[in-house]
């Protein structure tokens, strides 16, 4: 027991001795390194003081200035400016340099400071007392912004003076270049273009969608003192943003805007929207909404008068006003959904033709109503036996319901998807709605819903959805992705990217497309769209009159979608009028006439060739509503709007009623999809197309 304890003690002593020896070595090494560092630092401080002072000054910023990039332009398809960045100047003073410039003489009577102060007073309207306050309050500053947003006209005289012999004595005056967004055309295409806010942030339209493309990167100018004490300037140049070339034609946009304003002043409505596209590539040529605003002044509260009374505006909070302005800025052609009404009938017809459920020349009988489920769904008129071509021209609901019954729920909803309803089109603009929750599928659509869907009731869509699908119906069946930008260029003008047409899918065959074009031409020749006739041009189109929810409130959305020339379409014009300022509101002729006025200016501008018209073939415009009522002259501004046409003599006295007031069943699918059993009898018998 004793021997074991002694062994442990001896072992502990050996371990402790070894550890102490190692610790001593480590301490000695650390202390040695420390002494060496202290000696080296002392040597540097004593021997190389001047060298290191100069080196420190070299690495110290003397002053720094931002060099702002130029945001890229937005051009129309022909090179006209839709948005541009105008150079502006900030007057930046260097108080310390101005103060010290007093030491130097320009001549016997004037110092550098005298000449500098006189120049600031003369060219920038800052008097000597104001400048003295600035210098006294900022004696050590090299950067004081005295004025902002000066134009070239404001500074050009100073720039000339600075280059003169006397200008070489100026000290501490800098003109910092910046850029301000400018929209040369005011409100033209405002919902397509959008605007910018502080910091080059795009809001709405192409400004928002292509914000990163249009923006560049700021540069920097550095001024510092070198080893000799001289001031050295170094620059990192700014990288300007890219320019985008849009598909928009400014002349077409102006034509559309002019006609929309004329309509609003003559007739009026809650809102009017117009969409013009090239059906052969889905390029958007123009887009207009009646609630327009000046892009140079987007926050002007006067715009609120379009949607609110003066009394409401006076008591509204800032947040409420901003929310209301958003309603002005939003692009209703892509963001708002609505029931399309009879403009959807060509889609139902094309689906049936593609599936062989009907054929050209097939006849149907319309007795004025059709019993579906538990409801009698009424039509405009008892047309009797008519062909499917006449059914489109006369806008017969009974025929469409019979055709859709043959198609069936699965096939009908399949074609709705093929045509793009309930889906995003992918248009390169912010704020597009899909309406996917406002459309039926094969599982939840009943017989009554299927019937009324055939003529565009009971589901919702957007203008861009219907227009893009319609372009495919008339161009041979090619569904292209709609777009508003066709090219991106760098700041030197070189092409960065070319955005070609993008074929997404085939919708119908060329033979079906050719057939539907002939049916739509009949609409204008002898049907509900005769008010769109223009001598020398063959035009096709389709009217639509959709009663808004809740039903029986007398509020309607009127529409007309048209194209020309009929055989080889080059342009599509789609018009919607929300709650026209007339009573009753179901007067589709006004939508037809607005489209006609646009086409009258548009077709000659586009160089679309006229066809020869024989004297006996010339027709007088018959302004007849889709519900069959003839338009009469009441002597007010609205009726004058229909009478005042440029190229063709009008009459309303002999307008022939081809259809009686339509009565269609409907559901409230554009609020929330409901089952067939929820459709009330009152709605089923009173809904109007």
């Amino acid at each position: 027991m004793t021997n074991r304890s002694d062994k442990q003690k001896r072992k502990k002593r050996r371990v402790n001795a070894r550890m102490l020896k190692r610790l001593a070595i480590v301490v000695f090494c650390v202390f040695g390194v420390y002494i060496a560092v202290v000696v080296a630092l002392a040597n540097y401080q004593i021997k190389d003081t001047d060298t290191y002072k100069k080196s420190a000054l070299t690495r110290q910023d003397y002053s720094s200035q931002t060099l702002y990039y130029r945001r890229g332009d937005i051009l129309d398809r022909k090179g006209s400016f839709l948005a541009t960045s105008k150079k502006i100047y900030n007057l930046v003073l260097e108080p310390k340099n101005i103060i010290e410039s007093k030491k130097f003489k320009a001549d016997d009577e004037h110092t550098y400071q005298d000449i500098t102060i006189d120049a600031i007073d003369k060219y920038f309207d800052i008097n000597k007392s104001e400048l003295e306050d600035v210098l006294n309050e900022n004696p050590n500053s090299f950067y004081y912004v005295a004025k902002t947003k000066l134009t070239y006209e404001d500074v050009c005289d100073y720039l000339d003076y600075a280059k003169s012999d006397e200008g070489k004595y100026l000290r501490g005056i800098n003109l910092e270049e910046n850029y301000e967004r400018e929209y040369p055309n005011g409100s033209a295409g405002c919902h397509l273009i959008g605007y910018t806010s502080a910091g080059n942030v795009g809001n709405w339209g192409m400004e928002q969608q292509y914000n990163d493309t249009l923006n560049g990167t700021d540069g920097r100018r550095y001024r510092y003192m070198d080893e000799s004490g001289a001031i050295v300037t170094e620059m990192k140049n700014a990288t300007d943003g890219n320019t985008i070339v849009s598909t928009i034609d400014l002349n077409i946009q102006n034509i559309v805007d002019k006609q929309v304003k004329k309509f609003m002043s003559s007739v009026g409505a809650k809102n009017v929207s117009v969409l013009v596209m090239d059906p052969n590539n889905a390029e958007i040529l123009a887009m207009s909404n009646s609630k327009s605003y000046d892009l140079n002044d987007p926050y002007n509260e006067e715009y609120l008068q379009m949607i609110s009374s003066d009394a409401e505006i006076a008591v509204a909070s800032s947040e409420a006003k901003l929310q209301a302005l958003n309603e002005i800025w939003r692009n209703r052609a892509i963001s708002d959904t609505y029931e399309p009404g009879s403009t959807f009938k060509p889609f139902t017809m094309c689906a049936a033709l593609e599936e062989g459920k009907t054929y050209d020349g097939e006849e149907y009988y319309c007795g004025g109503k059709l019993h579906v489920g538990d409801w009698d769904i009424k039509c405009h008129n008892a047309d009797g036996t008519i062909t499917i071509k006449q059914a489109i021209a006369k806008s017969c609901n009974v025929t469409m319901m019979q055709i859709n019954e043959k198609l069936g729920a699965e096939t009908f909803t399949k074609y709705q998807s093929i045509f793009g309803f309930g889906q995003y089109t992918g248009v390169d603009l912010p704020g597009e709605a899909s309406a996917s929750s406002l459309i039926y599928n094969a599982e939840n659509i009943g017989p009554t819903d299927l019937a009324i869907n055939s003529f565009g009731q009971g589901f919702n869509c957007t203008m861009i959805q219907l227009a893009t699908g319609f372009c495919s119906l008339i161009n041979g069946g090619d569904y292209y992705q709609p777009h508003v930008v066709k090219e991106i260029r760098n700041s030197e003008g070189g092409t960065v990217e070319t955005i070609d047409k993008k074929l997404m899918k085939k919708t119908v065959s060329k033979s079906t497309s050719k057939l539907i074009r002939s049916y739509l031409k009949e609409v204008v020749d002898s049907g509900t769209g005769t008010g769109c006739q223009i001598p020398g041009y063959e035009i096709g189109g389709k009217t639509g009159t959709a009663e808004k929810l809740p039903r029986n409130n007398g509020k309607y959305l009127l529409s007309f979608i048209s194209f020309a020339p009929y055989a080889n379409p080059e342009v599509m014009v789609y018009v919607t009028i929300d709650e026209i300022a007339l009573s009753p509101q179901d007067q589709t002729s006004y939508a037809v006439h607005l489209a006609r006025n646009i086409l009258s200016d548009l077709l000659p501008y586009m160089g679309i060739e006229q066809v020869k018209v024989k004297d006996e073939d010339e027709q007088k415009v018959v302004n007849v509503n889709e519900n069959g009522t003839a338009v009469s002259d009441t002597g007010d501004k609205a009726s004058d709007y229909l009478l005042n046409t440029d190229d063709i003599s009008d009459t309303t006295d002999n307008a022939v009623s081809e259809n009686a007031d339509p009565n269609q069943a409907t559901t409230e699918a554009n609020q929330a999809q409901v089952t067939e059993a929820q459709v009330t009898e009152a709605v089923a018998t009173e809904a109007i197309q």
Side-chain angles (χ1 to χ4, degrees), residues 10-72:
R10 287 195 297 272
K11 184 177 180 181
K12 185 175 181 180
R13 283 197 297 272
R14 286 198 300 271
V15 170
N16 289 341
R18 189 182 299 116
M19 290 177 63
L20 288 171
K21 185 178 181 179
R22 289 178 179 176
L23 179 62
I25 294 171
V26 170
V27 170
F28 179 79
C29 291
V30 170
F31 185 74
V33 171
Y34 173 76
I35 294 298
V37 170
V38 170
V39 171
L41 289 174
N43 185 55
Y44 291 154
Q45 286 182 341
I46 296 169
K47 291 185 176 182
D48 300 314
T49 300
D50 291 340
T51 301
Y52 281 91
K53 280 184 178 179
K54 290 180 179 180
S55 179
L57 286 172
T58 301
R59 291 188 289 267
Q60 181 179 357
D61 287 349
Y62 185 68
S63 68
S64 174
Q65 178 183 349
T66 301
L67 301 177
Y68 296 99
Y69 66 82
R70 184 181 186 277
R71 186 174 171 93

Side-chain angles (χ1 to χ4, degrees), residues 136-418:
N136 291 334
E137 293 171 7
N138 306 274
N140 296 310
S141 172
F142 290 98
Y143 190 87
Y144 178 84
V145 180
K147 287 198 171 184
T148 61
K149 295 187 178 182
L150 300 172
T151 65
Y152 177 75
E153 290 73 20
D154 295 329
V155 303
C156 60
D157 289 342
Y158 167 77
L159 292 173
D160 290 339
Y161 172 72
K163 295 175 185 176
S164 68
D165 290 339
E166 196 173 272
K168 65 184 178 183
Y169 302 118
L170 296 171
R171 290 293 183 270
I173 302 176
N174 292 308
L175 288 176
E176 183 180 73
E177 295 181 356
N178 204 339
Y179 297 92
E180 186 174 55
R181 206 59 166 166
E182 186 176 63
Y183 303 93
N185 308 292
S187 63
C190 57
H191 295 98
L192 280 168
I193 300 168
Y195 65 92
T196 57
S197 53
N200 278 326
V201 177
N203 297 275
W204 303 95
M206 289 178 278
E207 290 279 29
Q208 178 176 331
Q209 186 74 20
Y210 289 89
N211 189 63
D212 292 342
T213 299
L214 292 164
N215 275 346
T217 305
D218 286 336
R220 203 80 179 169
R221 178 186 287 116
Y222 298 96
R223 300 181 67 196
Y224 60 89
M225 186 182 298
D226 67 8
E227 288 84 348
S228 66
I231 301 299
V232 178
T233 301
E234 290 186 0
M235 286 197 302
K236 179 183 178 183
N237 290 324
T239 302
D240 291 337
N242 291 328
T243 286
I244 60 177
V245 182
S246 71
T247 62
I248 309 308
D249 188 315
L250 181 58
N251 290 323
I252 296 177
Q253 183 68 50
N254 286 333
I255 287 171
V256 174
D257 287 345
K258 179 188 74 174
Q259 292 299 338
V260 169
K261 289 177 183 176
K262 179 181 176 182
F263 178 89
M264 291 299 290
S265 63
S266 300
V267 184
K270 182 179 180 180
N271 185 70
V272 173
S273 296
V274 178
L275 176 57
V276 182
M277 295 174 68
D278 182 342
N280 299 302
N281 52 26
E283 289 182 352
I284 296 174
L285 304 177
M287 188 182 287
S288 182
N289 296 281
S290 57
K291 290 182 174 60
S292 63
Y293 62 97
D294 188 340
L295 292 167
N296 297 297
D297 189 19
Y299 291 92
N300 194 322
E301 292 186 5
E302 290 183 4
Y303 307 138
L304 299 178
Q305 295 173 356
M306 291 187 277
I307 57 177
S308 303
S309 66
D310 291 339
E312 291 171 327
I313 296 171
V315 298
S317 65
S318 297
E319 184 179 349
K321 288 178 181 178
L322 182 60
Q323 187 175 0
L325 282 171
N326 270 281
E327 289 302 307
I328 304 294
W329 299 331
R330 66 183 280 120
N331 189 344
R332 297 177 184 276
I334 66 172
S335 299
D336 285 7
T337 67
Y338 59 94
E339 289 181 312
S342 292
T343 53
F344 183 77
K345 287 176 179 175
F347 295 92
T348 303
M349 186 64 74
C350 282
L353 289 167
E354 282 290 295
E355 292 295 314
K357 300 301 182 181
T358 190
Y359 56 87
D360 186 35
E362 185 176 18
E363 296 180 337
Y364 288 82
Y365 180 77
C366 173
K369 62 182 179 181
L370 187 69
H371 190 79
V372 180
D374 296 329
W375 318 110
D376 285 331
I377 305 174
K378 298 182 179 180
C379 189
H380 319 305
N381 194 17
D383 290 311
T385 301
I386 56 173
T387 65
I388 59 173
K389 182 177 185 178
Q390 291 172 323
I392 292 292
K394 293 175 177 287
S395 206
C396 177
N397 301 325
V398 168
T399 299
M400 303 312 300
M401 289 187 284
Q402 293 175 358
I403 287 174
N404 223 27
E405 186 179 9
K406 291 182 179 180
L407 268 178
E410 186 172 345
T411 304
F412 173 75
T413 53
K414 179 188 76 172
Y415 271 91
Q416 273 190 316
S417 178
I418 290 173

Side-chain angles (χ1 to χ4, degrees), residues 426-464:
V427 63
D428 49 343
L429 289 170
E432 182 185 9
S434 71
S436 59
S437 63
L438 304 176
I439 196 167
Y440 285 101
N441 56 51
E443 288 71 36
N444 67 1
I445 189 171
T448 305
D449 300 317
L450 182 65
I452 62 175
N453 273 202
S454 70
F455 47 73
Q457 296 267 144
F459 70 92
N460 276 29
C461 69
T462 63
M463 282 188 73
I464 192 66

Side-chain angles (χ1 to χ4, degrees), residues 383 387 389-395 518-533 539-541 543 560 592 617 619-626 628 655-659:
D383 290 311
T387 65
K389 182 177 185 178
Q390 291 172 323
I392 292 292
K394 293 175 177 287
S395 206
S518 69
Y519 292 2
L520 295 169
K521 180 176 180 293
E522 192 68 21
V523 173
V524 177
D525 286 350
S526 65
T528 59
T530 53
C532 197
Q533 294 170 7
I539 300 170
T543 51
F560 184 65
V592 175
D617 291 337
Q619 302 180 43
K620 292 182 177 181
V621 171
V622 178
N623 288 309
V624 60
N625 297 315
E626 191 184 38
V656 178
S657 174
E658 298 186 3
N659 300 340

